[in-house]
Amino acid sequence: MGTTPQGPEQLIQLDEVATALRLLHDEMSAAEPLERALCRVTAGAVAAVPDARHASVTLLDDGQLSTAAATAGDITELEHVQYVVGRGPCVLAATTRRVVRAVAGSGPAPWPEFAEAAHGAGLRAALSVPLVVAADDEPMWGSLNLYSGDETAFDPFDESLMGVFTVAASAAICNARRWQRSLRQVEQLEFALVSRADIEQAKGVLMALHGCSADEAFLLLAHESQVRNTKLREVARELLTSLRRR
């Protein structure tokens, strides 16, 4: 006994669901991405601390440090130097989860690579505050970093103030991760529905051409897929495309 083929009404329903998913996908794609949200956080931190010239967010993900957002390209380069040598204020704050204040003055520096790069960018002080991002599986660590051209910049009050901005940064990262996860799920479902519709239409074509059952039509598609080492949905789409061209 053959499988009941999808009729025109079922195919229309599949198409309507796929269209609805595409609209949802477009709306979710227009949502604020992580980089933009963190740029707002870093800009707000610079505006809130009088001595701050630049700010950035460092994230420690799967053992790798990276700059998720920065108010200037020089800051990204300055932090890259720290990541390469494995030391510096943002590295220490992200890995040990404690507040770090660093001065790139004229005297001996504990992190010479950071001091040299900071001098090249016209910066003399840094303040890195630990950042903890709650997650469904395990937390993500990082730091919120401030940079200034004044060696005397940043005091305990600034450290407390940065605690408020780390909360905002953490919320932005959590929301962006949930949004990205939901977007991937919508994309996968949309792809599955479109593929199903193509396969059902191709089965209908083969049934009409060869006078076979739905099961036999599916076996024809599956055999072609195996012989050509091509996914079933691609075989179905090629069949439909060739018929449209004719």
Side-chain angles (χ1 to χ4, degrees):
M1 184 175 180
T3 303
T4 303
Q6 294 285 339
E9 292 183 359
Q10 287 79 12
L11 290 175
I12 290 174
Q13 288 177 330
L14 278 175
D15 186 61
E16 289 176 347
V17 173
T19 300
L21 283 172
R22 278 194 294 271
L23 292 174
L24 180 59
H25 174 271
D26 293 342
E27 290 178 2
M28 294 183 70
S29 297
E32 185 176 51
L34 174 60
E35 183 179 358
R36 191 182 306 166
L38 291 181
C39 282
R40 288 193 295 103
V41 172
T42 53
V46 171
V49 180
D51 291 330
R53 184 187 299 178
H54 295 296
S56 69
V57 173
T58 293
L59 292 181
L60 177 60
D61 188 12
D62 196 22
Q64 298 295 318
L65 288 165
S66 63
T67 300
T71 54
D74 289 347
I75 301 304
T76 303
E77 296 176 7
L78 171 60
E79 293 180 343
H80 179 69
V81 170
Q82 299 178 61
Y83 304 151
V84 170
V85 299
R87 59 185 181 182
C90 70
V91 174
L92 188 60
T95 55
T96 66
R97 298 186 285 281
R98 64 185 179 88
V99 176
V100 179
R101 182 182 181 274
V103 177
S106 56
W111 304 302
E113 301 87 0
F114 161 74
E116 182 180 355
H119 271 277
L123 302 171
R124 297 295 181 269
L127 176 65
S128 293
V129 181
L131 172 66
V132 182
V133 181
D136 297 334
D137 43 11
E138 58 183 21
M140 177 186 292
W141 306 102
S143 63
L144 176 61
N145 315 297
L146 291 182
Y147 298 93
S148 174
D150 184 358
E151 289 186 18
T152 63
F154 310 132
D155 55 26
F157 178 78
D158 296 329
E159 295 178 14
S160 300
L161 188 60
M162 284 304 95
V164 176
F165 281 92
T166 59
V167 173
S170 176
I173 295 170
C174 283
N175 291 337
R177 293 176 76 180
R178 292 192 189 101
W179 162 71
Q180 290 171 345
R181 185 162 51 246
S182 298
L183 182 59
R184 284 195 298 269
Q185 291 173 344
V186 169
E187 289 173 341
Q188 292 168 357
L189 183 55
E190 179 187 2
F191 184 76
L193 280 173
V194 172
S195 298
R196 172 70 183 275
D198 287 340
I199 292 171
E200 292 299 331
Q201 290 183 48
K203 283 169 57 180
V205 168
L206 292 175
M207 291 168 65
L209 289 176
H210 300 289
C212 60
S213 67
D215 283 344
E216 291 169 335
F218 181 80
L219 289 176
L220 288 173
L221 288 172
H223 176 73
E224 185 71 11
S225 173
Q226 292 174 350
V227 169
R228 295 171 50 190
N229 193 25
T230 304
K231 292 184 177 181
L232 187 64
R233 61 175 179 269
E234 297 299 331
V235 172
R237 287 175 182 173
E238 289 179 12
L239 173 61
L240 296 174
T241 299
S242 65
L243 289 174
R244 293 188 188 105
R245 288 173 179 171
R246 294 177 186 175

